[in-house]
Amino acid sequence: MIRSVFHRLLTAVSGRPAAALAALVLCGAAQGCGRQEAQFTHRAGFENLMPEAQSYVHEALEQHFGTPTQVVAWEQLPIKLHAAAGAVGAAPDARSIAVNYSQQNLPIEPGLQTAWLSGPLLQSQGDPAWVEAVDVAGRIMFEQPLASVPAEGDRVAIGPGEVLRYGRVLYAEHCQHCHGVSGDAQGPTASYLNPRPRDFRRGIFKFTTTTASNRASRADLARVIENGVPGTYMPSFKLLSDAESMAIIEYVLFLSMRGEVEYQLVTQLGNDYSNQAVKDRIDGGETRKGILDEFTGMVNGGDMQEQFNETVESIVTRWVEANEPEAIIVPGAKRPPATPESIARGRMLYLSQDLNCVACHGEAALGDGPQSYSITKNAAGEDNPTPGLYDEWGNLVKPRNLTQGIYRGGRRPIDLFARLHGGIKGTPMPAFGGKKTDEELWDLVNYILSVPFEVRHPGDGLKEARPVVEDVEQVATR
Amino acid sequence: MSSISSTATGSHGSSVHDHVQGHDLTHGHGHGHGHGQSFISKYVFSTDHKVIGIQFLCTTLLMLIVGGALALGVRWQLAWGMETMPFFGLLFKTEGGQISPDFYTMLFTMHATVMIFLVIIPVLAGAFGNFLIPLMIGADDMAFPVLNMLSYWFMWPAIGFFGLSFLSAGYGAAAGWTSYPLLSALAEAAPGSGWAQNWWLIGLTFVGVSSMMGSVNYMTTIINMRAPGMTLFRMPLTIWAMFITAILQAFALPVLTAAGFMLVADRLLGTCFFIPAGIIVNNADPTVGGGQPLLWQHLFWFYSHPAVYIMLLPAMGMVSDMLSCMARKPIFGYKPMVYSMAAIAGLGFIVWGHHMFTSGMNPALGMTFMVSTVMIALPSAVKVFNWIGTLWGGRLEFNTVLLNSVAFVSMFIIGGLSGIFMAAVPVDIYIHDTYFIVAHFHYVLFGATLFGVFGAIQFWYPKMFGRMMSERIGKLHFLLTFIGFNGTFFPMHLLGVAGMPRRYANPYMYPYLNHLLDMNQFMTVCAILMGLAQFLLLGNFLFSLKFGTPCGRNPWNANGLEWAAPSPPGHGNFDVPPICYRGPYEYSSPGAPEGEDHWMQTDPRGKGWKPPAEH
Amino acid sequence: MKKFWIALFMLVPILALWSCYVAPERGWWFPGTTGPYGGEAASPMGRRIDDLFYMILAITTVTFIGTQLALGYVLWTGARRGDAGSGEKAWFSHGSHNLEVIWSIVPAGILLFIALYQMDVVAAIRFKSEFPEQVQNRPLAEVTARQFEWRIRYPGFDANGNLLPLMADPQPTDLYAVNDLRLPAAQPVMINLRTDDVQHAFFLPELRVKQDAVPGLTIPVWFEADRADEFTLLCAELCGWGHYKMRARFVALREPDFLQYLRDLQAQQDYDGVPDAADEE
């Protein structure tokens, strides 16, 4: 039996090599089928919700943010979503329109879709209008005539969601393997990195030039992408074009906001609708059905929608504020020259009880202060597993060794000033802005910048705390 | 020769008895008989060199599939890098099957590891060395049968440890098959540099031990156990190649083993052979000690360059035998062939530095290595000319064996000539670590060696199993492999000249490489074709076991001693103790018996018989 | 069928030669922007390297065509002899001593020529004593490779605005950049190459420059860009999972532009965030 099959196979193959070849190529092509889709994963805590609450959170997120391959361009978010957007300008007709742009993020290229955000075309169900070309006058020409002529002033988006789509492609290429599909810092290469990559889902970024209470500005994110974070595995992506960098930043903001919404929802629902809470409530005399009815009522027409909108609103406000000029740290005085006096004053500040830098960074600024060896508590009030300091994401962080001359947030004086003024967000590094004057902070900056070049001798210890300048004067007067 | 006469009576007790038993085997009942051997001692822990050779062959064919799958993963990434990768992509479900860059480094590292240490070296020395050496020199078995068995069974721990490497964090060692420190020395340096690297190094040691056992055995067997009349210059070139390879292994391997232990010690015991002081990787504590990473490169290449010839010489020998038989013509320049193999082996020991032309090496030393490296092309060239000379005026039989052997020569010409570019230091500075290098060594290791092996499987399969492999499938396999191979690897030369570095998970983020994507996709399609074609070989191999045409002792009308034994030979190999009367390449000889174009080494007949002159 | 196989074998050299012939115009050849097909090296040393490449290419092409034609010829005649009914026996020969001598000596001469011909180029690239006078012990920048970027350190200016020499250790006046190496064009320049962690390689494809950065060593590398232009800088030695991420550029500038660049870098590096500094200018 098998033998005859084999012989038939032999004759078939040798008789029709072309057919056999085609079959082989088909087999090869079949390998490419069954393409998987990237997926957003849910944060820790999601699993603890009762199944109905889980599906609510899942659907709410999917409705407003979509999936990685089908990103939803939600107008509510303060993100550059579209290739360009604006209002229809003078003399629109069915084949072309002029646009008064309110934002232009990417070049308008043939083949982009057009989406109407207001006016008669908003509701029309016809084919989307594809951009054919942009004429010399800057008018957008369409491939097919529009179903109706838009009115002047109708809002229009060209390439709707194009920035996010582009950002997502670039993110998948350059960032995803560390920062994760969901921005959760759980990408395949993340687990062995020290320090761990940033988890965007709390909306917190460490190195910013905004004041302590603010989120990161776009310029801060751009600087990190351009220069990397020295001393970590975040490399410099200096050679990305401006458009590429912009698209990545917008996508990172998108992931941050998505993560924050998820975080808020999971936290809010966790109070009453986690598996544990439900169990407690049932133990307390409620019925499962009652709880379910309550939840369904809240979601369907209850105050859940309102709560959701408020959550989103507060998140959006913070991101908008971060890019306002008021959020940016501007020193009240120019940096004084790094004279021995200034450095000595900075050293005194460094050692002062008030700022207590030594508690973490150590007297010799080696990053070995007593705090880095102490048992600390986590957010839940429990002892952390290993001694040392922890950040918001529960990762062990080491205070910077200032003698190495490596400054993760940048080495410009303003970068160090901003670090002192606004702190390092999400970490135990506190903000001194307002606590100390800008002049004092500059002295501290001058001291910190001088640390790598200090001449050290064996036995030098606390006596360095004396301002060096006095020695100099004594020598001079002698 | 006194050693020969002692061999004829058998160096171990059972051989005489086995010769008698051997008669049964011509009836095609399979391997060895009697002695109340259990299945396990006959087929699993067998000390019979033929069983061990076949075990090696089957293992390496299995590993060929593993290595090929890893290679296809690499190719897929280079063609459709940001999309779902079939099979391997299942490990990256949330990423939509898009593999991570560290996984890519693992893919090419383990591809090279599997192909070099588990396929090419064992298929040549292990499978064909084992099977052919005693048969071709007329011995009843290896000199040390138990050692021989152990050399096979030391492969399995190696496979097991490499497998453990796959199961460790990072899915496998990922520092390249060259495993340059510090990437391989510091666990913090990469996901694959943790335990995966330790398992890899331990696996490597087992491969080394296995090869070493084989090497000692081959040398002893070839020196001491040749049949009466089998003088050194009557040995087939296959045996010469195996002999020289064994010597190479014996001298080079200890260096690698030592280096491997030093690296393991650096990793686990805190020694600093290769680790300089003050290096901070991944914010771990700074390293201490004053080691030198270049030391590894010297030690590694001191083995691995000769290893390139270990991966080539046996195939050269086998191809010589096959070409001569299929051309029905004596080998052209037998002694120059032997001498050039010896020259390759000798020079092979003083060219390792050419892998380090771009490292920090005393430039004067670099020049010395350049001269020796350029000169190693000479014996290779002599061999090519002699192979062409062998075909010249032959009466060619265009069967699978000949096709694969000619492909060997043709591909070796390309691989050899491209080697001259990288022997020249200034040119190498540019093409070092580009795809030009990848093209070069695939032309040598796949284009030459594997085509040689495909031919050899076809050629000696009848001797192994008593049946012929299908010619039709064999030819189809050859055709697809040949097309797929050239389509995959020739464009790599151009990629290399265009400056595309190897080991890049995503070369297309560099604008000057962007336009090479199309070519890479073409290459990947060819690679898939080639990969699928190997199933033809596998199918042919398996089906012919049962359904191949049964054959007699000498289906190819070849001259070697092995063809005088039954097919398959029984335990003890020869039913009639062979006596060697002449060299192995007396095809179409005017002195041969009437009506025959071959004149077997064991054949005492012949017109005006006289002792063959040593040529 | 025999003809088919011979044709198949002969297709290899034909396609190989064809692909190399059309390669330059299709961009499958050396990277670069000048020269007839845009593949000319952008440095004098690079052109010498290319010349050597072309010399070897010429020699190997002749050998390649010769051997492949010989192979085709022997296959063709061998196939005819092997045809059923030809009745011809193979030519019984064990070889020819004269031929062996010829095809040993001639390649040996050619190979020796290839090896010796390269010597002075190797010396010029690698021997410190052969480095151009201007760069002897005068590194303009320290390039430090790390996983996975290039950190660059330039000497800064003294109080009078004169460029300081580059010191082995970092100085307070030093200027820093990342993934962006800028040096003067049209003159030999030297950098000190280091690595912070594992082994990397400094590769400028358009200039044909490549040097490994070995942990624990500081290696001087010199090169010369013909013209003010931007070139690719990348890593050519496996350095971990992000090996491919080390994308950087080398920008060759006219000498005054280079100094201006350093001054701009200084201004950027001293920026203290107080906007009136910009207003004063």
Side-chain angles (χ1 to χ4, degrees):
Chain A
M1 171 65 198
I2 300 174
R3 185 176 185 154
S4 66
V5 170
F6 181 51
H7 278 293
R8 213 173 298 153
L9 203 73
L10 278 184
T11 29
V13 167
S14 54
R16 287 187 292 275
L21 197 70
L24 281 168
V25 172
L26 271 180
C27 290
Q31 278 198 303
C33 300
R35 182 155 298 161
Q36 299 147 3
E37 300 273 305
Q39 274 150 19
F40 286 133
T41 46
H42 290 291
R43 64 173 304 114
F46 176 84
E47 297 300 319
N48 300 335
L49 297 179
M50 65 176 195
E52 293 75 14
Q54 282 188 11
S55 63
Y56 166 74
V57 172
H58 183 81
E59 275 161 28
L61 287 172
E62 196 156 300
Q63 184 189 345
H64 294 102
F65 296 92
T67 64
T69 40
Q70 292 284 313
V71 171
V72 173
W74 191 17
E75 281 286 315
Q76 182 102 18
L77 302 179
I79 293 177
K80 297 169 188 165
L81 298 168
H82 318 305
V88 176
D93 58 50
R95 286 304 292 265
S96 72
I97 55 167
V99 181
N100 300 321
Y101 292 107
S102 58
Q103 51 172 296
Q104 266 187 299
N105 302 315
L106 292 173
I108 295 170
E109 279 158 357
L112 285 181
Q113 217 177 317
T114 309
W116 306 94
L117 304 176
S118 68
L121 284 160
L122 175 61
Q123 300 299 334
S124 76
Q125 295 293 318
D127 290 336
W130 305 98
V131 174
E132 189 178 49
V134 180
D135 71 5
V136 280
R139 287 176 72 89
I140 310 257
M141 325 273 283
F142 297 108
E143 282 180 9
Q144 300 292 326
L146 301 172
S148 60
V149 178
E152 203 175 320
D154 282 354
R155 290 200 306 119
V156 63
I158 296 142
E162 201 57 37
V163 174
L164 284 187
R165 198 171 303 134
Y166 187 38
R168 141 82 191 153
V169 170
L170 291 165
Y171 183 85
E173 184 179 351
H174 298 295
C175 324
Q176 174 174 298
H177 57 82
C178 285
H179 290 288
V181 175
S182 326
D184 54 2
Q186 299 292 339
T189 42
S191 58
Y192 95 114
L193 303 188
N194 175 28
R196 295 294 291 265
R198 187 76 55 254
D199 174 357
F200 306 139
R201 296 174 307 166
R202 294 289 304 279
I204 303 171
F205 292 88
K206 282 184 178 173
F207 306 109
T208 69
T209 51
T210 55
T211 53
S213 57
N214 272 299
R215 293 270 184 254
S217 70
R218 285 194 166 83
D220 292 330
L221 300 184
R223 196 173 307 112
V224 168
I225 289 177
E226 185 182 340
N227 294 330
V229 180
T232 75
Y233 271 113
M234 174 73 190
S236 155
F237 290 93
K238 192 165 203 118
L239 297 198
L240 291 180
S241 70
D242 289 346
E244 287 173 323
S245 172
M246 180 274 295
I248 291 177
I249 290 169
E250 299 306 317
Y251 191 72
V252 166
L253 289 172
F254 167 84
L255 288 177
S256 301
M257 292 177 202
R258 182 188 172 280
E260 280 183 273
V261 170
E262 184 184 22
Y263 175 71
Q264 297 290 349
L265 286 181
V266 169
T267 315
Q268 287 162 13
L269 292 175
N271 292 333
D272 292 331
Y273 302 106
S274 70
N275 288 326
Q276 187 60 41
V278 170
K279 189 165 171 289
D280 291 345
R281 287 168 71 178
I282 292 173
D283 290 347
E286 295 182 61
T287 62
R288 172 168 278 278
K289 187 169 181 309
I291 299 171
L292 267 185
D293 287 346
E294 177 196 300
F295 182 74
T296 324
M298 199 174 79
V299 170
N300 298 334
D303 53 0
M304 196 64 215
Q305 187 58 43
E306 201 177 314
Q307 207 178 327
F308 179 81
N309 289 342
E310 273 170 25
T311 306
V312 172
E313 188 60 37
S314 74
I315 290 168
V316 164
T317 312
R318 295 196 69 181
W319 283 108
V320 172
E321 278 171 358
N323 286 293
E324 310 269 329
E326 300 83 64
I328 309 298
I329 294 171
V330 179
K334 287 193 70 66
R335 175 195 178 199
T339 56
E341 293 83 358
S342 169
I343 291 171
R345 286 195 301 273
R347 172 78 177 151
M348 289 307 288
L349 278 167
Y350 180 84
L351 295 172
S352 68
Q353 281 290 321
D354 197 11
L355 299 187
N356 204 13
C357 305
V358 290
C360 298
H361 294 281
E363 276 166 12
L366 288 164
D368 58 351
Q371 281 289 315
S372 62
Y373 296 101
S374 320
I375 305 271
T376 50
K377 305 248 182 239
N378 65 14
E382 294 152 358
D383 282 352
N384 281 314
T386 42
L389 296 155
Y390 284 77
D391 62 16
E392 281 282 317
W393 299 272
N395 299 321
L396 188 67
V397 286
K398 286 193 74 178
R400 187 65 37 250
N401 176 349
L402 299 171
T403 63
Q404 288 177 328
I406 296 172
Y407 307 101
R408 290 190 178 167
R411 64 183 315 123
R412 300 177 305 167
I414 179 61
D415 293 325
L416 273 77
F417 185 91
R419 229 56 347 109
L420 296 169
H421 189 284
I424 299 178
K425 286 155 192 173
T427 73
M429 172 75 192
F432 300 130
K435 192 171 178 182
K436 289 285 162 192
T437 66
D438 288 356
E439 285 80 5
E440 285 173 314
L441 293 182
W442 277 130
D443 287 338
L444 198 46
V445 167
N446 282 342
Y447 168 65
I448 292 169
L449 283 172
S450 78
V451 169
F453 306 105
E454 267 178 5
V455 183
R456 256 172 236 284
H457 301 290
D460 284 0
L462 275 177
K463 76 175 189 297
E464 262 195 90
R466 271 183 305 157
V468 182
V469 57
E470 284 174 24
D471 295 347
V472 174
E473 278 166 3
Q474 277 163 13
V475 170
T477 52
R478 208 171 284 157
Chain B
M1 275 196 176
S2 60
S3 65
I4 292 170
S5 57
S6 74
T7 315
T9 54
S11 61
H12 60 103
S14 67
S15 57
V16 175
H17 178 60
D18 289 338
H19 290 161
V20 181
Q21 289 286 322
H23 281 288
D24 298 347
L25 301 173
T26 48
H27 305 307
H29 284 295
H31 324 285
H33 267 253
H35 307 320
Q37 282 180 318
S38 69
F39 177 82
I40 289 194
S41 61
K42 239 193 289 182
Y43 296 109
V44 183
F45 295 106
S46 170
T47 54
D48 187 323
H49 73 99
K50 298 177 294 297
V51 178
I52 296 169
I54 290 163
Q55 283 172 329
F56 263 116
L57 185 61
C58 295
T59 314
T60 50
L61 286 179
L62 266 178
M63 290 300 131
L64 187 67
I65 297 175
V66 176
L70 293 165
L72 288 181
V74 172
R75 280 309 325 165
W76 188 278
Q77 173 76 6
L78 288 172
W80 299 287
M82 291 301 142
E83 297 170 30
T84 307
M85 182 180 286
F87 186 61
F88 294 114
L90 295 175
L91 292 168
F92 296 91
K93 271 199 173 137
T94 16
E95 281 76 29
Q98 174 194 330
I99 63 156
S100 69
D102 67 307
F103 192 79
Y104 177 77
T105 55
M106 183 288 287
L107 281 179
F108 64 68
T109 301
M110 294 310 280
H111 160 66
T113 306
V114 169
M115 285 302 196
I116 290 169
F117 295 115
L118 301 182
V119 177
I120 294 185
I121 292 181
V123 81
L124 292 174
F128 287 102
N130 253 314
F131 188 82
L132 294 178
I133 288 174
L135 280 170
M136 284 182 133
I137 63 171
D140 50 6
D141 205 323
M142 284 287 180
F144 311 115
V146 176
L147 194 69
N148 203 17
M149 176 191 82
L150 285 177
S151 93
Y152 173 71
W153 286 105
F154 265 69
M155 285 296 290
W156 279 101
I159 293 170
F161 282 117
F162 287 138
L164 269 180
S165 182
F166 279 118
L167 299 178
S168 309
Y171 300 117
W177 83 279
T178 52
S179 284
Y180 280 5
L182 301 174
L183 189 56
S184 62
L186 301 177
E188 296 84 10
S193 293
W195 269 96
Q197 190 70 40
N198 291 340
W199 296 134
W200 186 88
L201 284 163
I202 296 168
L204 192 65
T205 308
F206 274 92
V207 174
V209 172
S210 160
S211 295
M212 198 58 167
M213 293 185 199
S215 148
V216 170
N217 217 342
Y218 300 167
M219 282 192 285
T220 318
T221 309
I222 293 173
I223 293 173
N224 284 329
M225 295 181 61
R226 278 168 285 131
M230 177 63 86
T231 61
L232 283 177
F233 282 111
R234 280 182 187 170
M235 295 199 307
L237 286 171
T238 304
I239 298 304
W240 267 112
M242 294 290 176
F243 185 47
I244 292 168
T245 304
I247 296 172
L248 272 178
Q249 282 186 324
F251 283 94
L253 254 170
V255 178
L256 179 75
T257 311
F261 274 125
M262 285 157 81
L263 191 51
V264 170
D266 270 12
R267 295 176 52 83
L268 298 179
L269 304 179
T271 56
C272 285
F273 293 111
F274 306 120
I275 305 173
I279 301 288
I280 299 176
V281 174
N282 202 6
N283 287 309
D285 293 335
T287 56
V288 291
Q292 174 51 275
L294 288 178
L295 175 61
W296 168 267
Q297 298 187 23
H298 282 291
L299 296 177
F300 181 83
W301 289 116
F302 187 82
Y303 164 74
S304 293
H305 198 81
V308 172
Y309 301 110
I310 293 171
M311 292 182 252
L312 183 63
L313 285 176
M316 286 178 159
M318 296 192 297
V319 164
S320 306
D321 278 11
M322 291 188 284
L323 279 180
S324 170
C325 174
M326 294 309 158
R328 316 306 304 161
K329 188 169 168 294
I331 201 83
F332 199 91
Y334 173 87
K335 278 191 178 173
M337 288 293 238
V338 175
Y339 296 146
S340 56
M341 276 199 280
I344 288 175
L347 281 170
F349 271 109
I350 52 166
V351 297
W352 81 89
H354 68 231
H355 296 271
M356 300 166 61
F357 281 157
T358 66
S359 311
M361 181 168 57
N362 185 326
L365 193 58
M367 285 191 172
T368 321
F369 280 124
M370 175 166 88
V371 175
S372 58
T373 305
V374 171
M375 292 322 288
I376 205 168
L378 179 62
S380 312
V382 169
K383 291 193 77 75
V384 168
F385 297 143
N386 277 318
W387 284 318
I388 294 175
T390 304
L391 290 170
W392 179 24
R395 195 173 185 281
L396 305 186
E397 289 175 27
F398 275 75
N399 54 24
T400 314
V401 178
L402 181 89
L403 293 174
N404 278 299
S405 305
V406 172
F408 172 101
V409 177
S410 172
M411 299 296 99
F412 182 69
I413 291 173
I414 298 180
L417 289 176
S418 65
I420 296 178
F421 289 85
M422 57 205 64
V425 178
V427 178
D428 180 68
I429 285 177
Y430 176 64
I431 58 180
H432 177 81
D433 260 323
T434 66
Y435 262 83
F436 199 90
I437 307 287
V438 183
H440 163 72
F441 65 69
H442 279 100
Y443 262 91
V444 178
L445 292 186
F446 192 140
T449 301
L450 271 189
F451 277 112
V453 167
F454 293 151
I457 290 175
Q458 193 89 13
F459 188 63
W460 278 292
Y461 189 93
K463 188 51 60 186
M464 291 179 182
F465 302 107
R467 288 173 189 273
M468 308 291 283
M469 277 169 87
S470 157
E471 268 295 313
R472 284 167 170 174
I473 301 271
K475 279 180 175 161
L476 183 67
H477 165 253
F478 167 75
L479 177 68
L480 295 179
T481 311
F482 191 74
I483 293 172
F485 170 80
N486 282 294
T488 308
F489 293 108
F490 195 82
M492 284 188 183
H493 291 108
L494 303 172
L495 293 184
V497 176
M500 179 165 147
R502 58 196 280 213
R503 296 167 168 175
Y504 267 31
N506 179 13
Y508 312 109
M509 60 185 261
Y510 292 85
Y512 84 104
L513 300 173
N514 230 329
H515 62 285
L516 300 173
L517 178 64
D518 294 347
M519 191 190 256
N520 272 296
Q521 289 177 342
F522 167 76
M523 289 154 68
T524 300
V525 171
C526 290
I528 291 172
L529 175 76
M530 180 169 65
L532 291 173
Q534 302 321 306
F535 287 101
L536 291 176
L537 174 72
L538 202 70
N540 196 358
F541 189 92
L542 294 176
F543 276 88
S544 302
L545 279 179
K546 236 177 155 48
F547 306 117
T549 322
C551 65
R553 296 183 177 217
N554 193 358
W556 307 109
N557 289 333
N559 284 350
L561 287 191
E562 77 270 32
W563 304 109
S567 302
H571 196 61
N573 294 345
F574 295 94
D575 40 7
V576 181
I579 298 168
C580 178
Y581 293 98
R582 60 189 67 79
Y585 300 116
E586 301 300 307
Y587 294 103
S588 307
S589 166
E594 206 60 49
E596 287 178 22
D597 69 348
H598 70 296
W599 198 7
M600 291 189 70
Q601 283 183 287
T602 51
D603 195 344
R605 299 171 300 157
K607 292 181 290 197
W609 185 86
K610 60 181 192 301
E614 286 196 355
H615 34 258
Chain C
M1 204 60 189
K2 288 179 184 175
K3 285 179 186 165
F4 169 78
W5 294 118
I6 295 171
L8 182 73
F9 285 121
M10 289 304 103
L11 211 55
V12 174
I14 291 169
L15 285 178
L17 291 172
W18 170 81
S19 63
C20 291
Y21 180 73
V22 301
E25 65 195 54
R26 297 187 180 216
W28 301 341
W29 210 239
F30 288 106
T33 50
T34 54
Y37 292 110
E40 200 177 68
S43 68
M45 190 53 74
R47 282 191 294 278
R48 288 178 74 182
I49 290 178
D50 286 1
D51 290 345
L52 292 176
F53 178 90
Y54 285 117
M55 182 196 80
I56 298 177
L57 186 66
I59 293 172
T60 49
T61 305
V62 170
T63 319
F64 179 62
I65 295 174
T67 43
Q68 294 285 354
L69 280 182
L71 189 65
Y73 170 77
V74 296
L75 285 177
W76 182 256
T77 52
R80 280 182 38 206
R81 196 177 266 118
D83 280 340
S86 81
E88 271 183 274
K89 268 195 148 185
W91 171 42
F92 181 72
S93 155
H94 282 99
S96 147
H97 184 74
N98 290 341
L99 268 178
E100 299 287 349
V101 171
I102 290 169
W103 68 39
S104 303
I105 300 234
V106 172
I110 295 172
L111 289 169
L112 211 56
F113 165 74
I114 290 178
L116 299 177
Y117 189 73
Q118 327 251 342
M119 289 292 186
D120 57 329
V121 181
V122 185
I125 298 175
R126 285 290 153 82
F127 279 106
K128 247 183 141 178
S129 55
E130 302 281 322
F131 281 15
E133 194 82 24
Q134 308 98 294
V135 303
Q136 292 274 0
N137 297 318
R138 275 198 61 228
L140 279 179
E142 179 189 78
V143 177
T144 304
R146 63 181 294 269
Q147 290 177 324
F148 299 100
E149 60 195 0
W150 305 91
R151 295 263 159 200
I152 295 140
R153 183 169 67 90
Y154 300 100
F157 297 93
D158 65 11
N160 302 322
N162 298 318
L163 192 62
L164 293 161
L166 183 79
M167 294 296 177
D169 294 320
Q171 303 296 313
T173 47
D174 282 343
L175 303 170
Y176 294 86
V178 58
N179 282 357
D180 188 8
L181 175 66
R182 301 195 180 202
L183 293 169
Q187 67 184 65
V189 289
M190 191 171 87
I191 58 159
N192 277 345
L193 185 63
R194 290 184 59 243
T195 165
D196 261 357
D197 36 47
V198 302
Q199 191 165 341
H200 301 265
F202 177 90
F203 183 24
L204 297 171
E206 287 105 335
L207 275 71
R208 321 285 191 255
V209 172
K210 191 179 285 148
Q211 173 61 52
D212 285 8
V214 182
L217 300 182
T218 301
I219 300 173
V221 184
W222 80 271
F223 45 90
E224 176 181 352
D226 281 336
R227 55 180 194 280
D229 203 349
E230 191 179 319
F231 306 102
T232 316
L233 163 59
L234 62 164
C235 179
E237 184 66 65
L238 178 66
C239 57
W241 55 270
H243 176 40
Y244 70 103
K245 277 192 185 296
M246 296 182 67
R247 177 182 167 196
R249 67 179 164 211
F250 162 54
V251 184
L253 299 169
R254 294 184 309 120
E255 174 112 34
D257 293 343
F258 170 65
L259 289 175
Q260 188 54 45
Y261 168 71
L262 289 188
R263 293 209 169 82
D264 292 347
L265 209 55
Q266 173 126 48
Q268 269 173 43
Q269 200 165 301
D270 289 344
Y271 181 60
D272 62 2
V274 184
D276 63 1
D279 297 343
E280 281 172 5
E281 282 174 11

